[in-house]
């Protein structure tokens, strides 16, 4: 205003001041909702603030935390990716993105994100520990898939059993491993075992197309045409 004391400028300045007060009030409410674990309310308040403060990395990280708590991992990833771009050396955002992908069973994307974290800080303890785990699992899965391509079904089964031992905590890896073992058993003419394992997978994921196809193949081997 000192540089250009016109009426228009003054109105604009007053508007911006009023808006900034309003945003600070919303920010306090959002933090309070987050602390009270009312994540839905926090998200709705943060939406309002971020519509104006588009480039605020901290607010995006806070909204990502709320999305994680609300079971919306893909929305959390999108906020964390923005936060990783907005704040240089944001190892924390890359670590969180990698963890979410890992929990979702996307080990390849998890590996590429955790590598980004280590590029920024090769001594980052959490990232390094996650990197070792994801890399090991990734290697085992790739090796099992290679065996399947070569028709070495016994070897593939054994490798997928190792995958289940490597990651017993995240259920999706066991389910995927069982789905692939069922495929190998079916291809290996071990119909009874294939039917049993595919049924296990289908109890967890009734619409799993691969398990349905492999169980159908196994039923054919047993002449169980109705099934």
């Amino acid at each position: 205003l000192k540089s250009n004391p016109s009426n228009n400028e003054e109105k604009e300045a007053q508007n911006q001041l009023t808006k900034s007060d309003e945003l600070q009030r919303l920010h306090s409410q959002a933090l309070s909702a987050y602390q009270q674990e009312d994540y839905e309310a926090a998200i709705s308040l943060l939406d309002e603030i971020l519509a104006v403060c588009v480039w605020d990395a901290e607010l995006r990280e806070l909204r990502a935390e709320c999305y994680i708590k609300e079971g919306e991992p893909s929305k959390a990833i999108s906020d964390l990716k923005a936060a990783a771009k907005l704040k240089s050396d944001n190892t924390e955002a890359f670590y969180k993105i990698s963890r979410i992908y890992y929990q979702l069973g996307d080990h390849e994307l998890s590996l590429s994100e955790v590598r980004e974290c280590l590029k920024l800080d090769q001594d980052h303890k959490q990232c390094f520990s996650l990197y070792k785990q994801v890399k090991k699992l990734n290697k085992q899965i790739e090796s099992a898939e290679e065996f399947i391509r070569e028709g070495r079904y016994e070897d593939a089964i054994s490798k997928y059993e190792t995958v289940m031992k490597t990651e017993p905590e995240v259920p999706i890896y066991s389910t995927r491993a069982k789905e692939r073992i069922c495929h190998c058993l079916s291809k290996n003419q071990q119909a009874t075992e294939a039917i049993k394992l595919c049924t296990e997978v289908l109890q967890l994921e009734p619409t799993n197309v691969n398990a349905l196809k492999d169980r159908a193949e196994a039923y054919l081997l047993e002449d169980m045409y109705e099934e």
Side-chain angles (χ1 to χ4, degrees), residues 34-78:
Y34 177 76
Q35 278 147 9
Q36 287 162 15
E37 299 182 9
D38 185 351
Y39 302 116
E40 205 177 325
I43 289 168
S44 140
L45 290 158
L46 288 165
D47 287 348
E48 277 189 71
I49 308 170
L50 279 159
V52 183
C53 307
V54 187
W55 315 115
D56 193 313
E58 261 101 28
L59 289 175
R60 286 192 180 275
E61 284 172 15
L62 182 60
R63 189 169 66 176
E65 281 302 309
C66 296
Y67 281 136
I68 291 167
K69 302 283 192 199
E70 284 288 290
E72 299 201 54
S74 54
K75 288 183 178 176
I77 285 173
S78 130

Side-chain angles (χ1 to χ4, degrees), residues 11 31 80 88 130 161 183 185 220:
K11 263 189 204 141
L31 286 174
L80 287 166
S88 63
L130 181 61
E161 280 165 352
H183 174 73
L185 291 166
L220 282 176

Side-chain angles (χ1 to χ4, degrees), residues 12-30:
E12 175 63 14
Q14 285 301 341
N15 281 342
Q16 296 285 18
L17 273 174
T18 312
K19 194 184 272 184
S20 76
D21 287 344
E22 168 70 0
L23 289 173
Q24 279 181 321
R25 191 177 60 76
L26 290 174
H27 187 217
S28 301
Q29 286 179 346

Side-chain angles (χ1 to χ4, degrees), residues 64 67-68 72-83 93 96-98 100-101 104 109 113:
Y67 281 136
I68 291 167
E72 299 201 54
S74 54
K75 288 183 178 176
I77 285 173
S78 130
D79 265 346
L80 287 166
K81 284 193 166 175
K96 284 179 182 169
I97 296 168
S98 177
I100 296 171
Y101 277 135
L104 291 173
L109 279 175
E113 293 295 332

Side-chain angles (χ1 to χ4, degrees), residues 176-189:
R176 286 292 154 270
K178 284 177 182 171
E179 177 198 309
R180 298 305 279 153
I181 291 172
C182 163
H183 174 73
C184 295
L185 291 166
S186 179
K187 289 281 184 200
N188 221 18
Q189 316 269 305

Side-chain angles (χ1 to χ4, degrees), residues 7-9 25 47 72 85 115 127 131 143 172 183 197 214:
N7 281 347
N8 278 352
E9 297 286 336
R25 191 177 60 76
D47 287 348
E72 299 201 54
K85 286 198 182 93
R115 279 185 175 136
C127 284
Y131 170 71
S143 161
I172 189 143
H183 174 73
L197 204 55
D214 288 323

Side-chain angles (χ1 to χ4, degrees), residues 140-164 177 180-185 188:
Q140 288 170 351
I141 293 170
E142 278 179 357
S143 161
E145 287 301 313
E146 186 59 37
F147 286 144
I148 290 174
R149 283 192 290 276
E150 291 168 2
R152 293 166 61 187
Y153 299 117
E154 291 292 336
D155 291 333
I157 289 168
S158 147
K159 190 57 81 174
Y160 267 120
E161 280 165 352
T162 311
V163 166
M164 289 195 272
R180 298 305 279 153
I181 291 172
C182 163
H183 174 73
C184 295
L185 291 166
N188 221 18

